[in-house]
């Protein structure tokens, strides 16, 4: 792709804020693009979409859980409710199946399970392969969620959670919903072993199966330690059935409640700023290694600089990148 | 010797699967076919009729009267069977999700003509399990679908006793790549699921259940490995006998007979040197006729031009004559079972039975065939088997004459005619059908229609047998779309798993390894040059259910490094363009085998243009005659692939080049 074909970031940002689908699509393509010229424009685009508003608008919900728990089916059921309520929805579905050593290809199969059959302009789904980041959510997810937050009322990120990956999703969502599989000890084991950070809301899916779902729900209620994170949050456990479409409204009520809780406590903006810093550090480390980080004064210094610019860390990130690059160049 | 017979056996029913354009045109065709010695009818419906849409539904656009006859209401049915005595005819209908409806139209018509439904004989295919796995004309979720099957069985056993209410199909499984063992296993699992469901409905008295079992017939396939196929049919007979005795306590051996009809393998029929298909068809027919104890009750054969397009009357006549030569000229029907007592045959049968038993146990352990469909297991197994077959063809391990070996050929006079050697349906058929339908809607009594539809809705909701209210609908002049929509409102719709998510390393068959390595390098470097990994959307627009090609392209593309989005069959051009936009793909690959490629490709291109995606490269594959390929290129399609392009590696290399060209990079050319 030649430079001439890359979109102008400022214009694109304006169109994205106007919720133009074509602009959203090309913005996401740009954020995914690793060419040097594209990276620069991406930084410009993200900066243009940043600011006070971006730290406080919309709701970014991370949905995770073991394979086959029914995450996509549940997201689909939730979308139906949100759309009925007139809320627009953006979805990032992260697929774990990519195998770099086997060519890196991926079958992005969640879309079909999430999408309701009808044609809908108020819903936008982008599937992403979890490209060679062992057990992690693709680095692209954070900036893409940021872009979607600028133009959809709700943004959902679906990832498979096996073991450690929840840590990544916990560094993305405002609200983390863990979808548990009935009659599987996984969730409880993870909780006990501390592998997962406590999700904000538990959804025990497939409640239509009856007893096993109830049993799992009460086990989770017992195992989830309550007092260790945000004092006034109650970590609800909710029984739902994606296929029978039951419990969805209650689940949504918990989401809304959690968002109000964060906002009222002044935590929402802080949380997003923290997630953003984590992302900046991660991409800098990925691109330049520990040596690069040292060149701009180490983690602590980066943290300090990001803190100072918390409403537009993407701009600061780009400054840090340029600084590291110029140091690299001057050091040889 | 007691095995030498004195009397010649009666031949099987001879049919030709046909129907096109309109009820009137199809009626003419049926009457000429009967005059040529055909002994039963086999009705092919168009896709809107099969998926419960009226001819004027937006989803039906371009598909009305294409691959079969459109039947929108009872007057169409009347025209289709004009001058054909229903009480003397044996009529097979390839109809599934809307089977209760088409059967109701048939029964309603009989009633109107003063014929007792007890006199009617024939078959409704009515096996929805295999629709989810292969054939693609499903509508409702598995639960309600199973109920509709059970309802037709319960109704016909009592009121139309000579009817075969369901034909358990393994035919379509083989067409989707199944091995003989898979065919045996999944068909028998389906039969069990159906019988269990009927039993659970409690509508049949325990003492009468044997009659239900006796009414279950099968529709099977026979491929080119005809010795093995013959053994497969013997295995079917043995296993059915055992199953019906053990599981359903059917004491009378006559009621345990494995009754089946056949269409021979079409997947193996080729586009290059199409005359070779005649030999293939004849050999395949042997598999289902040689063994008297496992002989087909009814046979229909594809035509030599199967992989080119729809057959013309002459092509179908040729296929019918193959059956007649075998039945009337050869001495086949003068003997008892000529394979009984052969130790070789017995050993092969045993091997197949054992393999099938194991797979049946496996499926039952997963909760039965429905659970195994919902989880995607069975579909994945089929996609995997088909992948192995295609990769064996590509590597040359499996020889297909005229395709991957002996390609040299003189020009075939068969394909030189001005029609290109295939049937062209009437382009005015869609408009005429819509006019006829709209006139019909004006002529009926609205009060009666509403009352009949209310009765249907009530029956659907309260679990009452769906047939009586459907027959009332038929007589009131309700349309196919109204019947389908009423039940959609009650049951909802369903999209089964696509099965393409087979593990990349689960089968050590990547085709030619060095080529795959080279392809992966090309995909990766092109992705790097463009800034992100190559992403492909495989789309199936329209009502077309032929998914094999799309699935295999998707799996192969994944294997060589593409990120692939494939959302299954039956999407609108709008949905496909929307997915292309949302997913940010580098290319859209459309797969269309239903013959509606001109209309559908044009709409997809238009929808892409509306989304500023006019420059996105679009390619197409499927049953696309050469002259249409040229027209598609003129519309802006970058490449067209047809069944003669058997090398998936070459297709992939070409796809990478199409993307490169569209983005100003140079082509890399054919693989070394
Ligand atoms: C297998 C088959 C079936 C199976 C389908 C199973 C499945 N899940 O796919 C079953 C038995 C279910 C079936 C049913 C029907 N079939 Co059929 N079927 C065939 C058959 C025999 C082979 C098709 C096939 O799968 N080939 C193997 C695959 C791998 O090849 P392919 O799809 O052509 O793909 C190759 C290229 O075309 C290319 N390609 C294809 N798509 C794409 C996409 C991209 C992106 C790329 C790059 C390449 C590419 O790549 C492949 C490379 O070799 C053909 C005849 C034939 N021999 O071709 C008839 C045929 C397609 N069927 C036909 C018909 C009419 C039907 C029915 C509609 C009949 C009816 N009235 O009910 C039904 C209903 C199906 C439906 N719901 O739409 C007609 C279509 C007529 C027309 N176009 O004018 C055909 C041509 C037979 C005939 N001569 O009448 N069928
Ligand atoms: N009984 C029941 N089954 C469900 C429910 N929700 C989902 N399923 C089934 O569970 C299976 C997996 O559903 P998905 O939605 O694909 O699950 P997922 O967690 O997104 O799966 P991956 O993305 O593959 O990890 C499917 O067969 C669904 O039909 C439910 O509420 N009840
Ligand atoms: Mg999922």
């Amino acid at each position: 792709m030649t430079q001439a074909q890359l979109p102008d970031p400022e214009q694109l940002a304006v169109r994205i804020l106007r919720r133009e689908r074509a602009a959203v699509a090309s913005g996401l393509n740009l954020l995914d693009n690793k060419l040097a010229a594209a990276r620069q424009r991406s930084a410009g685009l993200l900066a243009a979409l940043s600011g006070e508003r971006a730290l406080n608008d919309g709701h970014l919900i991370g949905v995770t859980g073991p394979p086959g728990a029914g995450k996509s089916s549940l997201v689909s059921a939730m979308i139906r409710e949100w759309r009925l309520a007139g809320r627009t929805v953006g979805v990032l579905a992260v697929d774990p199946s990519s195998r770099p050593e086997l060519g890196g290809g991926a079958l992005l199969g969640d879309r079909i399970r999430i999408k309701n059959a009808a044609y809908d302009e108020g819903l936008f789904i982008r599937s992403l392969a979890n490209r060679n980041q062992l057990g992690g959510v693709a680095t692209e997810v954070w900036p893409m969620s940021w872009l979607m937050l600028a133009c959809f009322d709700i943004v959902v990120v679906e990832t498979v959670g096996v073991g450690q990956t929840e840590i990544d999703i916990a560094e993305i969502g405002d609200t983390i919903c863990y979808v548990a599989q009935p009659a599987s000890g996984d969730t409880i084991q993870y909780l006990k072993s501390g592998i997962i950070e406590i999700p904000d809301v538990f959804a025990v899916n497939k409640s239509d199966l009856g007893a096993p779902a109830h049993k799992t729900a009460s086990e989770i209620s017992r195992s989830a330690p309550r007092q260790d994170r945000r004092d006034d949050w109650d970590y609800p456990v909710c029984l739902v059935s994606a296929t029978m479409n039951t419990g969805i409204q209650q689940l949504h009520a918990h989401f809304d409640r959690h968002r109000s809780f964060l906002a009222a406590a002044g935590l929402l903006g802080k949380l997003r700023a923290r997630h953003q810093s984590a992302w900046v550090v991660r991409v800098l480390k990925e691109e330049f290694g520990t040596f690069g980080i040292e060149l701009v004064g180490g983690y602590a210094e980066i943290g300090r600089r990001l803190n100072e610019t918390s409403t537009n860390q993407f701009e600061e990130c780009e400054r840090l990148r340029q600084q590291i690059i110029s140091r690299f160049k001057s050091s040889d | 010797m007691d095995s030498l017979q004195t009397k010649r056996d009666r031949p099987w029913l001879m049919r030709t699967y046909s129907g096109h354009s309109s009820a009137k045109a199809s009626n003419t065709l049926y009457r000429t076919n009967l005059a040529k010695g055909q002994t039963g009818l086999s009705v092919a419906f168009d896709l809107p009729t099969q998926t419960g849409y009226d001819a004027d539904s937006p989803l039906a656009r371009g598909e009305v009267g294409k691959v079969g006859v459109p039947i929108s209401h009872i007057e169409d049915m009347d025209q289709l069977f004009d001058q054909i005595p229903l009480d003397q005819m044996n009529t097979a209908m390839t109809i599934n999700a809307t089977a209760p409806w088409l059967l109701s139209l048939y029964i309603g018509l009989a009633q109107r003509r003063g014929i007792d439904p007890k006199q009617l004989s024939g078959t409704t295919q009515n096996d929805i399990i295999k629709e989810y796995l292969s054939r693609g004309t499903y509508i409702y979720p598995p639960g309600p679908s199973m109920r509709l099957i059970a309802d037709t069985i319960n109704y016909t056993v009592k009121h139309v006793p000579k009817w075969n209410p369901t034909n358990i199909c393994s035919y379509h499984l083989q067409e989707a790549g199944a091995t003989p063992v898979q065919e045996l296993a999944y068909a028998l699992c389906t039969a069990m699921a159906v019988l269990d469901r009927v039993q659970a409905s409690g509508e049949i008295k325990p003492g009468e259940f044997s009659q239900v079992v006796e009414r279950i017939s099968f529709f099977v396939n026979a491929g080119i490995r005809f010795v093995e196929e013959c053994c497969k049919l013997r295995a079917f007979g043995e296993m059915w006998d055992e199953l019906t005795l053990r599981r359903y306590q059917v004491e009378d051996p006559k009621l345990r007979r494995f009754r089946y009809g056949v269409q021979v393998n079409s997947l193996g029929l080729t586009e290059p040197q199409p005359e070779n298909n005649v030999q293939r068809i004849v050999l395949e027919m042997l598999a289902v006729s040689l063994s008297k104890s496992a002989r087909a009750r009814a046979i229909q054969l594809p035509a030599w031009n199967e992989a080119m397009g729809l057959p013309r009357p002459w092509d179908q006549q040729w296929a019918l004559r193959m059956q007649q030569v075998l039945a009337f000229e050869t001495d086949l029907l003068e003997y008892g079972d000529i394979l009984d007592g052969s130790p070789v045959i017995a050993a092969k049968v045993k091997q197949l039975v054992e393999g099938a038993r194991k797979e049946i146990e496996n499926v039952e352990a997963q909760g039965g065939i429905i659970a195994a469909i919902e989880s995607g297991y069975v579909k994945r197994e089929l996609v995997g088997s088909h992948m192995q077959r295609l990769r064996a063809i590509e590597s040359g391990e499996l020889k297909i004459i005229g395709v991957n070996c002996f390609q040299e050929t003189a020009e075939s006079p068969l394909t030189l005619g001005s029609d290109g050697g295939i049937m062209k349906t009437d382009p005015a058929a869609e408009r005429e059908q819509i006019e006829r339908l709209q006139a019909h809607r004006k002529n009926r009594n609205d009060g009666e229609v509403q009352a009949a539809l209310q009765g249907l809705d009530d029956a659907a909701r309260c679990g009452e047998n769906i047939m009586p209210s459907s027959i009332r609908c038929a007589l009131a002049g309700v349309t196919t779309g109204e019947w389908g929509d009423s039940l959609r409102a009650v049951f909802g719709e369903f999209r089964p798993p696509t099965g393409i998510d087979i593990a990349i390393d689960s089968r050590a068959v990547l085709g030619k390894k060095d080529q795959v390595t080279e392809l992966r390098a090309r995909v990766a470097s092109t992705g790097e040059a463009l800034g992100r990994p190559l992403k492909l959307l495989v789309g199936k627009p329209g009502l077309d259910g032929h998914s094999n090609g799309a699935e295999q392209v998707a799996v192969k593309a994944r294997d060589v490094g593409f990120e692939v989005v494939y959302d299954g069959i039956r999407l609108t051009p709008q949905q496909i363009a929307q997915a292309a936009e949302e997913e940010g793909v580098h290319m859209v690959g459309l797969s269309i085998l239903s013959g509606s490629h001109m209309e559908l490709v044009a709409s997809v291109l238009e929808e892409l243009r509306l989304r500023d995606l006019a420059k996105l490269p679009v390619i197409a594959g499927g049953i696309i005659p050469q002259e249409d390929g040229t027209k598609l290129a003129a519309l802006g399609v970058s490449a067209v692939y047809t069944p003669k392009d058997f090398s998936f590696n070459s297709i992939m290399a070409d796809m990478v080049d199409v993307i490169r060209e569209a983005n100003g990079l140079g082509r890399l050319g054919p693989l070394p």
Side-chain angles (χ1 to χ4, degrees):
Chain A
M1 187 163 299
T2 57
Q3 258 207 62
Q5 287 169 295
L6 291 170
D8 173 74
E10 263 79 44
Q11 280 172 18
L12 197 57
V14 171
R15 293 176 57 208
I16 289 170
L17 290 167
R18 281 204 306 254
R19 305 188 164 202
E20 283 181 33
R21 298 175 62 90
V24 175
S26 85
L28 293 173
N29 295 349
L30 180 64
L31 294 181
D32 204 8
N33 198 318
K34 299 294 176 302
L35 297 180
R39 288 189 87 125
Q40 217 148 14
R41 281 168 197 243
S42 288
L45 174 64
L46 289 166
L49 294 174
S50 291
E52 215 38 71
R53 186 202 50 79
L55 287 174
N56 295 295
D57 272 7
H59 194 181
L60 178 52
I61 301 171
V63 173
T64 190
K71 299 178 293 296
S72 301
S73 313
L74 187 58
V75 169
S76 171
M78 296 197 291
I79 289 170
R80 214 175 302 132
E81 281 300 322
W82 278 319
R83 296 297 300 131
L84 281 174
R87 301 215 241 175
T88 60
V89 186
V91 179
L92 288 171
V94 184
D95 188 285
S97 68
S98 156
R99 298 276 300 275
E101 75 284 12
L102 292 171
L107 292 166
L108 303 171
D110 273 332
R111 186 184 172 82
I112 182 181
R113 279 170 283 180
I114 292 173
K115 187 130 180 87
N116 301 319
Y119 172 80
D120 183 358
E121 292 277 345
L123 169 65
F124 193 111
I125 304 174
R126 167 74 54 116
S127 325
L128 284 174
N130 197 7
R131 301 171 193 142
N132 67 38
Q133 284 153 25
L134 259 184
V137 169
T139 319
E140 294 79 14
V141 172
W142 173 255
M144 288 186 176
S145 325
W146 193 259
L147 185 156
M148 282 189 159
L149 267 177
C151 52
F152 296 104
D153 301 333
I154 311 262
V155 177
V156 176
V157 179
E158 180 192 332
T159 62
V160 174
V162 261
Q164 316 214 302
T165 54
E166 294 83 351
I167 295 174
D168 280 350
I169 188 75
E171 284 182 351
I172 287 177
D174 304 332
T175 302
I176 305 302
C177 170
Y178 188 96
V179 184
Q181 170 89 297
S184 134
D186 289 0
T187 316
I188 292 128
Q189 248 175 37
Y190 294 152
L191 281 170
K192 287 196 170 139
S193 65
I195 287 177
I196 58 170
E197 221 179 299
I198 313 301
D200 305 300
V201 179
F202 285 96
V204 178
N205 190 31
K206 311 193 184 182
S207 64
D208 50 293
L209 300 180
H214 287 91
K215 187 158 169 271
T216 303
S218 60
E219 280 170 4
I220 293 176
S221 303
R222 276 200 306 276
S223 327
R226 277 145 196 266
Q227 265 78 41
D228 65 340
R229 211 159 65 147
R230 295 163 201 142
D231 283 336
D232 298 317
W233 182 243
D234 58 359
Y235 300 95
V237 180
C238 191
L239 274 165
V240 295
S241 166
T243 47
M244 307 303 289
N245 206 13
T246 54
I248 310 299
Q249 281 172 357
Q250 289 89 318
L251 186 60
H252 281 185
H254 289 307
F255 290 165
D256 291 345
R257 205 163 53 79
H258 185 249
R259 193 190 182 287
S260 312
F261 156 77
L262 290 175
L267 290 172
L268 186 62
K270 281 191 196 146
L271 191 65
R272 286 188 186 170
R274 205 174 77 208
H275 291 166
Q276 194 159 345
S277 311
W279 175 81
V280 170
V281 171
R282 193 147 20 101
V283 290
L284 290 178
K285 184 158 174 233
E286 230 168 64
E287 198 177 352
F288 305 109
T290 323
F291 180 63
I293 302 268
E294 290 304 324
L295 285 180
V296 285
Y299 288 110
E301 171 61 11
I302 294 176
R304 194 194 56 77
R305 285 176 59 177
L306 290 174
N307 238 338
E308 273 175 14
T309 52
S310 68
T311 53
N312 206 336
Q313 300 183 31
F314 287 114
E315 231 164 33
E316 188 60 27
C317 175
E318 196 45 30
R319 270 196 291 276
L320 283 161
R321 279 191 70 232
Q322 295 309 331
Q323 215 176 324
I324 299 175
I325 291 170
S326 65
R327 295 273 164 85
F328 262 125
K329 283 193 182 137
S330 61
S331 67
D332 49 47
Chain B
M1 289 241 299
D2 59 324
S3 54
L4 282 184
Q5 313 183 158
T6 49
K7 227 177 91 221
R8 221 181 141 82
D9 286 324
R10 230 168 21 122
W12 50 88
L13 273 174
M14 297 183 194
R15 294 184 164 127
T16 314
Y17 184 40
S18 51
H20 67 88
S21 303
S22 65
K24 197 162 174 208
S26 302
N27 173 264
T28 310
L29 178 65
Y30 294 169
R31 285 191 288 127
T32 23
N33 283 350
L34 290 168
K36 285 177 185 164
Q38 184 179 305
T39 49
L41 290 178
S42 171
V43 182
F45 295 100
D46 72 355
L47 292 170
T49 306
Q50 295 190 51
T51 48
Y53 296 113
D54 277 337
D56 55 356
S57 157
L59 289 163
R61 198 171 303 142
E63 313 265 17
V64 178
K66 272 267 164 62
V67 294
V69 57
I71 299 293
S72 304
H73 46 80
I74 193 164
E75 305 310 331
D76 288 343
M77 200 60 137
D78 192 26
Q79 219 172 44
L80 185 64
F81 291 96
D82 183 37
Q83 298 171 58
I84 296 175
L86 296 184
D87 48 349
Q88 288 158 45
M89 187 45 55
N90 187 307
T91 306
M93 297 191 228
T94 300
I95 198 73
N96 293 277
T98 53
W101 172 240
L102 273 299
L103 178 57
S104 296
L105 288 172
Y106 198 72
I107 294 173
L109 179 64
Q111 286 178 358
R112 229 169 62 167
R113 291 186 183 174
I115 294 164
D116 182 355
K118 290 210 157 53
Q119 301 303 315
L120 298 178
S121 67
T123 308
T124 32
Q125 193 166 79
N126 201 18
D127 164 3
I128 310 210
I129 304 267
K130 64 86 176 61
E131 295 296 325
Y132 298 134
L133 292 173
S134 163
R135 204 171 162 280
T137 66
Y138 46 78
I139 305 176
Y140 315 111
S145 294
M146 292 303 286
R147 169 193 158 184
L148 292 179
I149 297 177
D151 280 358
T152 47
I153 296 175
N154 284 328
Y155 185 85
T156 53
V157 166
K158 289 182 196 129
H159 305 286
V160 201
K162 291 201 290 181
W163 198 262
N164 297 309
T166 175
N167 224 345
I168 306 290
C169 298
S170 76
Y171 167 77
H172 310 82
L173 303 180
Q174 181 174 126
E175 296 294 305
T179 62
V181 162
Q182 288 173 326
E183 242 192 282
L184 282 163
Y186 303 144
L188 292 171
C189 284
T190 302
M192 283 192 272
V194 168
L195 285 172
D196 289 356
R197 182 69 181 69
V198 172
Q199 211 161 33
S201 76
E203 280 193 43
I204 308 285
K205 294 195 199 93
E208 287 163 13
F209 197 70
S210 300
Q211 266 107 310
V212 174
V213 174
E214 195 261 344
R215 282 288 92 202
I216 302 290
S217 57
F218 289 76
F219 183 55
V220 309
N221 205 327
I224 195 70
R225 293 169 53 81
F226 73 93
V227 179
E228 183 176 33
E229 292 291 60
C230 190
C231 295
K232 176 186 80 188
L233 287 151
R234 293 171 72 97
F236 253 131
E238 271 184 30
M239 294 183 80
W240 184 240
D241 186 74
E242 183 190 303
L243 183 88
T244 49
L245 178 64
R246 296 252 169 88
R247 194 176 173 105
Y248 302 107
Q249 286 86 45
V250 178
E251 299 297 337
D252 182 351
K254 270 208 226 114
L255 304 183
R256 299 201 303 264
R257 272 199 301 229
F258 180 74
R259 300 179 309 124
Y260 73 96
V262 184
Q263 151 108 9
V264 303
N265 182 289
S266 314
L267 184 61
L269 301 181
T270 62
E271 181 189 7
Q273 300 182 27
E275 61 281 1
N276 296 340
N277 293 330
V278 172
Q279 294 84 285
R280 296 191 179 104
I281 295 165
V282 169
L283 290 168
E284 289 166 351
M285 179 171 46
L286 287 181
V288 297
S289 54
L290 273 184
S291 184
K292 181 176 174 178
S293 62
R295 187 170 291 151
R297 303 282 174 122
I299 297 181
Q300 58 190 34
L301 299 177
W304 67 276
N305 52 358
E306 169 77 12
M308 295 163 49
L310 291 169
R312 301 160 300 184
W314 178 77
D315 307 317
Q316 294 202 316
Q317 174 186 314
W318 192 357
L320 174 65
R321 298 291 185 246
M322 294 177 206
Q323 297 199 47
Q324 290 168 330
V325 168
L326 180 67
F328 302 123
E329 290 187 18
T330 77
D331 56 351
L332 179 70
L333 296 178
E334 291 166 17
Y335 303 97
D337 195 303
I338 59 175
L339 297 177
D340 274 355
S342 155
V344 177
I345 296 286
K348 184 71 196 172
V349 172
K350 183 159 173 272
Q351 186 194 38
L352 291 169
V353 168
E354 280 167 3
R357 275 207 191 111
K358 227 164 109 192
E359 185 57 8
I360 291 174
E361 276 167 27
N362 178 13
V363 170
E364 292 298 296
Q366 296 179 39
I369 189 85
I370 302 230
I373 284 173
E374 286 175 338
S375 72
Y377 167 79
V378 185
K379 183 64 180 170
R380 274 197 299 276
E381 290 299 298
L382 296 180
V383 172
S385 294
H386 195 191
M387 180 182 85
Q388 275 174 317
R389 179 186 137 79
L390 289 174
R391 293 191 181 176
I393 293 173
E394 181 158 3
S395 71
E397 201 182 311
L398 185 65
K399 293 206 165 21
I400 311 286
I401 307 305
V403 174
N404 65 359
C405 58
F406 307 114
Q407 289 109 326
E408 306 68 22
T409 179
E411 195 169 35
S412 161
L414 282 175
T415 52
L416 290 181
S418 60
D419 56 5
I422 53 172
M423 161 95 171
K424 300 263 165 69
T425 52
D426 180 3
E430 182 159 321
R431 190 176 36 81
E432 286 168 16
Q433 180 67 11
I434 291 176
E435 283 165 8
R436 208 175 127 76
L437 170 69
Q438 291 174 343
H440 167 82
R441 286 206 196 101
K442 288 208 190 87
N443 283 336
R444 53 190 193 167
N445 178 327
D446 281 336
E448 269 174 40
V449 169
Q450 288 319 316
L453 283 172
Q454 186 59 51
L456 178 67
D457 182 273
D458 291 344
R461 283 183 205 279
C462 76
E464 194 179 288
N465 193 307
I466 209 76
M467 287 299 296
S469 57
S470 297
I471 296 170
R472 233 172 300 141
C473 285
L475 291 167
V478 163
T479 66
T480 299
E482 289 164 344
W483 187 87
D485 284 346
S486 298
L487 297 191
R488 277 186 178 92
V490 180
F491 298 145
E493 291 184 68
F494 181 74
R495 292 176 74 74
T498 58
I500 59 169
D501 47 339
I502 49 179
I504 192 165
D505 49 356
S506 70
R507 319 188 189 234
V509 274
L510 284 166
K512 284 189 185 156
K513 201 135 186 239
D514 46 344
Q515 291 199 341
V516 169
T517 312
E518 164 71 15
L519 273 168
R520 284 181 176 169
R522 289 184 181 191
V523 171
S525 66
T526 305
E528 269 154 37
L530 297 182
R532 58 195 177 103
L534 295 190
K535 199 169 180 183
L536 168 73
L537 175 75
V538 178
K540 290 243 4 126
L543 295 178
D544 179 18
H546 293 91
S547 58
N548 288 339
E551 288 154 7
Q552 296 301 327
V553 167
V555 169
K556 184 74 196 193
R558 186 275 311 261
D559 288 356
V560 301
F562 279 89
E563 295 183 354
V564 182
V565 179
Y566 170 60
D567 289 347
I569 58 172
R570 284 165 59 187
L571 297 173
T572 62
Q574 207 182 25
Q575 286 172 319
I576 287 174
Q578 198 184 36
E581 173 179 72
E582 290 180 14
E583 295 293 352
V585 295
H586 291 100
M587 177 157 79
V588 174
L590 301 173
S591 181
I592 308 171
L593 284 83
S594 69
S596 307
H597 43 270
M598 292 311 302
E599 296 88 337
L600 290 168
V601 172
S603 334
V604 171
L605 292 173
E606 179 54 29
E607 290 287 339
L608 288 173
R609 263 190 296 267
L610 290 175
R611 289 170 174 76
D612 295 347
L613 293 174
K615 291 212 185 93
L616 188 66
V618 173
I619 56 172
I623 304 296
I624 301 177
Q626 207 170 353
E627 52 166 313
D628 289 356
T630 316
K631 286 186 207 154
L632 290 177
L635 287 180
V637 171
S638 306
V640 173
Y641 308 96
T642 66
K644 70 175 181 322
D645 302 306
F646 70 93
S647 165
F648 279 78
N649 284 338
S650 307
I651 293 179
M652 294 297 137
D654 200 43
M655 278 168 39
V656 173
D657 277 347
V658 168
I659 295 180
R660 293 181 67 90
E661 237 172 7
N663 288 284
L665 302 169
R667 289 182 83 98
L668 298 171
L671 291 168

